[in-house]
Amino acid sequence: MNQDLTQEWLTEIQTIKEQMAVLQSDRDAAWESAQRWRQLYNTEAEQRRTDAQLSQQAIASLKAELHKLQGLEMETLAPGTPVTAIQQEIEQLKSVEELQDKLISVIKERDRLLQALKTEQDKHAQTRNSLTTALGDAIDSLTQERAKGEKESK
C-alpha cells in the first residue's frame, strides 16, 4: 500500500511537472508575443512623434512666414512713395519713444530684407553652380559620343 501511494505521488508529480513545462512554454510564447507587440507599438509611437514634430515645425514655419508677409504688407510703404509721404508719416509720430519704435521696426525690416537677399543670392549661386556642372557634364558626354562616333566610322 505504501508503494502504491508512493507510485501515485510520483505519477502526480510527473503530471504536474509536465503541466508546468507546458505552462512555462505558453508563458514564454506569450512573453515573446508581448515583446513583439511592444516593439511594434514603440516603433509606431516613435513614428507618430516624429510626424507630429515635423508637422509642428511646418506649422510654425508657415505661421512665421504668414506673420512676416502680413507684417511686410502692413509696415512697408507702397513702391514709389514720395518723400513727402514719408515726411508726413514721421511728423505723425508724437514722441521720441514712437520715433525709436518706428526706427527699430524699420531696422528689423531692413535686417530681414538683407537676410532674404542673402538667402536669394546663395540660392542663385547654388543654381548657377548646379547648371554649370550639368553643362560641363553634357559637354563631356557630347565629346565622348563624338569620339565614339569617330572611332566607329574609321
Side-chain angles (χ1 to χ4, degrees):
M1 171 107 176
N2 199 12
Q3 191 163 358
D4 289 339
L5 188 58
T6 304
Q7 188 61 35
E8 194 176 308
W9 279 97
L10 288 175
T11 304
E12 184 70 23
I13 290 172
Q14 186 61 32
T15 303
I16 291 172
K17 281 183 179 180
E18 289 171 2
Q19 288 175 349
M20 274 187 58
V22 168
L23 291 173
Q24 285 174 341
S25 175
D26 289 348
R27 181 203 61 199
D28 292 344
W31 179 259
E32 289 175 14
S33 176
Q35 284 294 95
R36 280 193 301 273
W37 280 108
R38 264 192 289 280
Q39 181 62 36
L40 289 172
Y41 173 79
N42 287 336
T43 301
E44 180 72 17
E46 184 63 33
Q47 185 176 0
R48 297 279 184 216
R49 282 190 291 272
T50 302
D51 289 348
Q53 185 179 18
L54 290 173
S55 296
Q56 287 174 346
Q57 289 173 351
I59 288 169
S61 173
L62 290 172
K63 281 183 179 178
E65 187 174 346
L66 178 64
H67 288 299
K68 179 176 74 172
L69 291 173
Q70 287 174 341
L72 179 64
E73 290 173 4
M74 286 185 238
E75 294 179 10
T76 59
L77 295 170
T81 303
V83 175
T84 56
I86 296 171
Q87 288 173 340
Q88 287 175 353
E89 185 176 347
I90 291 172
E91 288 171 3
Q92 290 176 356
L93 301 173
K94 305 269 189 252
S95 67
V96 174
E97 289 81 20
E98 287 179 1
L99 183 60
Q100 287 174 339
D101 290 342
K102 186 67 175 176
L103 180 60
I104 289 170
S105 173
V106 168
I107 290 172
K108 283 181 180 179
E109 180 64 16
R110 182 210 56 195
D111 290 346
R112 186 191 68 73
L113 290 171
L114 286 174
Q115 184 61 40
L117 177 62
K118 176 154 179 23
T119 301
E120 193 61 34
Q121 287 172 336
D122 291 344
K123 286 180 182 178
H124 177 74
Q126 184 179 12
T127 301
R128 186 179 62 239
N129 289 338
S130 297
L131 290 174
T132 302
T133 302
L135 183 59
D137 291 345
I139 291 172
D140 289 345
S141 294
L142 181 61
T143 304
Q144 289 174 357
E145 286 296 320
R146 284 184 180 167
K148 188 191 294 185
E150 289 175 9
K151 286 182 183 177
E152 290 176 0
S153 66
K154 288 183 179 179

